[in-house]
Amino acid sequence: MSNSSRTYVITGAASGIGRETKQLLESLGHRVIGADIRDAEVVADLGTPAGRASLVEQVTAISGGAIDAVLAIAGVDLGGPPTVAVNYYGAIATLEGLRPLLLRSNAPRAVAVSSITSVHPYNDQLLNALLDGTEAIALEKAEEVPFVYATTKRALSRWIRRNALKAEWAGANIPLNAIAPGLVKTELLKRLFDEPETRKRISAGTPMPLGGPYEPRAAAELLAWLASEQNGHMTGQTIFIDGGADVMIRGDSVW
Ligand code: NAI
């Protein structure tokens, strides 16, 4: 990876994959502006419109209006409307809101964190509301339908694919990608694994023949590459880093 120092913005920087990515990039000599709902340089609640606006305002002030990459990592698995608000609208607001700050970079990059659950069962009505409705409609739907977390991640990967080639992104030379982790040993997973039935269901739903659940460092390495100068030609992709779970679930018929 290049040695030239870059400025990165990472949401979800206080824990798990976000914290690991921040540490990795800092160890490589880069500047990282960490954002989170707690314990971060920029404290903002990405579950609300006011918090999302505050993220952009604070990052603009701290960075002086120029950054090299944005990594939308913050996410929750709480079910219902909070999951929709953070995982989908929070991530998109991060990418769209900070995009203007990327324009002064000579190698701007944007990455989000989707999930292996983006290829799990989902709810069609919620997916349509996310992709083509309003936040109010999607939040209402999320009160009553199953598979909310998986649906937010599917919608996020779809959003990346829908937008990557637009004038604002490819037209401005900004690669826009996502990663889809399998099971990663973070606070989020620990909370879910505390409950034996949930643990069983999640493990069965995400089989990982290659190495099983892993430490966040592996996801951080991939995020760091996608956000680096080296990634000049990959865009619109969701890269599975999942020990083979996507292959187990979807097989070879995706081509
Ligand atoms: P984590 O719980 O360790 O970290 C998530 C971070 O997001 C926390 O620091 C939390 O404070 C922050 N956050 C939560 N709500 C927020 C809000 N409203 N505003 C701002 N920040 C907020 O979880 P982990 O595992 O590191 O998750 C990172 C991303 O990876 C998430 O998008 C998650 O959905 C995704 N993911 C995680 C997997 C896993 O097995 N751990 C698997 C696939 C995807």
Side-chain angles (χ1 to χ4, degrees):
M1 232 168 264
S2 160
N3 287 329
S4 70
S5 178
R6 288 160 61 76
T7 299
Y8 294 82
V9 176
I10 292 183
T11 70
S15 176
I17 297 170
R19 184 173 58 204
E20 193 70 28
T21 308
K22 182 171 189 290
Q23 285 168 359
L24 171 61
L25 290 169
E26 285 174 344
S27 76
L28 295 171
H30 300 297
R31 177 182 184 202
V32 179
I33 301 170
D36 207 292
I37 199 165
R38 60 182 170 88
D39 305 327
E41 199 173 354
V42 169
V43 172
D45 179 358
L46 296 174
T48 68
R52 297 168 200 151
S54 169
L55 168 84
V56 175
E57 224 169 81
Q58 292 185 67
V59 170
T60 303
I62 291 172
S63 67
I67 61 174
D68 294 293
V70 51
L71 294 95
I73 301 180
V76 292
D77 190 355
L78 302 169
T83 302
V84 162
V86 179
N87 292 11
Y88 187 73
Y89 293 103
I92 287 169
T94 300
L95 297 167
E96 284 185 333
L98 298 179
R99 196 191 62 82
L101 278 63
L102 293 169
L103 298 176
R104 274 161 54 193
S105 171
N106 59 10
R109 309 283 182 257
V111 195
V113 175
S114 179
S115 165
I116 181 62
T117 60
S118 63
V119 296
H120 280 181
Y122 63 99
N123 182 270
D124 219 21
Q125 289 177 333
L126 178 58
L127 185 71
N128 290 335
L130 290 167
L131 291 174
D132 298 318
T134 63
E135 182 166 0
I137 294 171
L139 292 175
E140 207 180 304
K141 267 285 157 246
E143 296 271 12
E144 63 198 37
V145 301
F147 310 130
V148 170
Y149 179 85
T151 308
T152 62
K153 295 298 189 178
R154 180 176 287 261
L156 182 58
S157 283
R158 289 275 299 269
W159 186 90
I160 297 272
R161 222 164 160 79
R162 276 188 177 188
N163 284 277
L165 301 188
K166 288 187 176 167
E168 295 91 329
W169 295 99
N173 282 322
I174 310 173
L176 172 65
N177 295 286
I179 70 164
L183 303 178
V184 187
K185 295 175 184 169
T186 65
E187 290 307 313
L188 183 147
L189 192 66
K190 271 182 218 145
R191 281 191 294 274
L192 297 170
F193 270 19
D194 276 349
E195 213 276 293
E197 274 312 305
T198 310
R199 182 189 189 115
K200 235 188 348 204
R201 181 175 50 78
I202 288 176
S203 301
T206 301
M208 298 172 69
L210 181 70
Y214 58 85
E215 299 292 335
R217 174 75 183 208
E221 299 269 6
L222 180 55
L223 285 165
W225 186 82
L226 286 167
S228 73
E229 289 172 61
Q230 277 67 27
N231 176 29
H233 300 282
M234 182 195 296
T235 198
Q237 302 302 315
T238 291
I239 307 299
F240 288 84
I241 174 161
D242 63 355
D246 171 49
V247 180
M248 290 286 288
I249 293 167
R250 294 198 297 175
D252 62 11
S253 63
V254 292
W255 281 280

